[in-house]
Amino acid sequence: MTKNDCFFFGKITKTHGLKGEVTIKIDVANPEDFTELRYLLVEEKAGLIPYFVENQKISGDKMFVQLQDVKKVEQAVAFIGKAVFLPNEMMPELEEDEFYYSEIVGFRLIDAEKGEIGQISDVLEYPTQAVIQVMKDGKEILIPIHDDIIEKVDKKAKALNIKAPEGLIDMYLNM
């Protein structure tokens, strides 16, 4: 299974307890949708490696996981800092006006005032705000992901319609 067949679930941040459990910082909207995982895909140099889950507990945006065959803290330490993925088919369905960041990459970004800005190249997640990245005429434009800015998500047409704050797009293009 490749990354294209999966979505980013979170990152292993530290060990938990004395029996080889790990703590995963979950990066999903509703962690409670994932209370009964049978396995996780951990990113290794060789690719995504499946690990069976023996036990798990969710607390807020953290998941404490006991992986099969990992019984000592010394074994669990090797997982710290590794990304965790799940197959796309495990991704919960969203409402029509909702989207996963990964699914809008490649969408056309259309502003109510400026028209088509370009193709979304990435979604960057900063500690305080996620932003849409678009390249136009060799210049980077960053648009905050916020309900007041996003007007419509058209998944069939692969388009995201926005109403950018006044002057925001011009600020990037006139730099």
Side-chain angles (χ1 to χ4, degrees), residues 8-9 38 68 83 112-113 116 120 125 137-138 145 153 166:
F8 180 75
F9 179 66
R38 292 188 1 239
Q68 185 177 3
E113 182 184 319
E116 188 162 334
I120 297 172
E125 294 187 65
D137 302 328
I145 295 178
V153 181
E166 189 174 328

Side-chain angles (χ1 to χ4, degrees), residues 22-90:
V22 294
T23 302
I24 301 171
K25 170 83 165 76
I26 305 172
D27 189 28
V28 294
N30 297 310
E32 56 277 356
D33 290 339
F34 301 93
T35 57
E36 295 183 23
L37 295 177
R38 292 188 1 239
Y39 68 94
L40 302 168
L41 299 164
V42 178
E43 186 173 33
E44 305 273 356
K45 288 181 183 175
L48 297 179
I49 307 297
Y51 288 90
F52 289 100
V53 175
E54 285 187 357
N55 196 355
Q56 68 186 51
K57 180 182 173 197
I58 294 176
S59 177
D61 65 349
K62 292 182 177 57
M63 179 182 279
F64 308 105
V65 178
Q66 178 74 59
L67 299 173
Q68 185 177 3
D69 298 328
V70 179
K71 303 296 181 206
K72 297 179 181 176
V73 173
E74 295 79 19
Q75 293 171 301
V77 167
F79 290 89
I80 295 174
K82 295 190 177 184
V84 177
F85 293 83
L86 293 175
N88 286 334
E89 57 265 15
M90 292 176 77

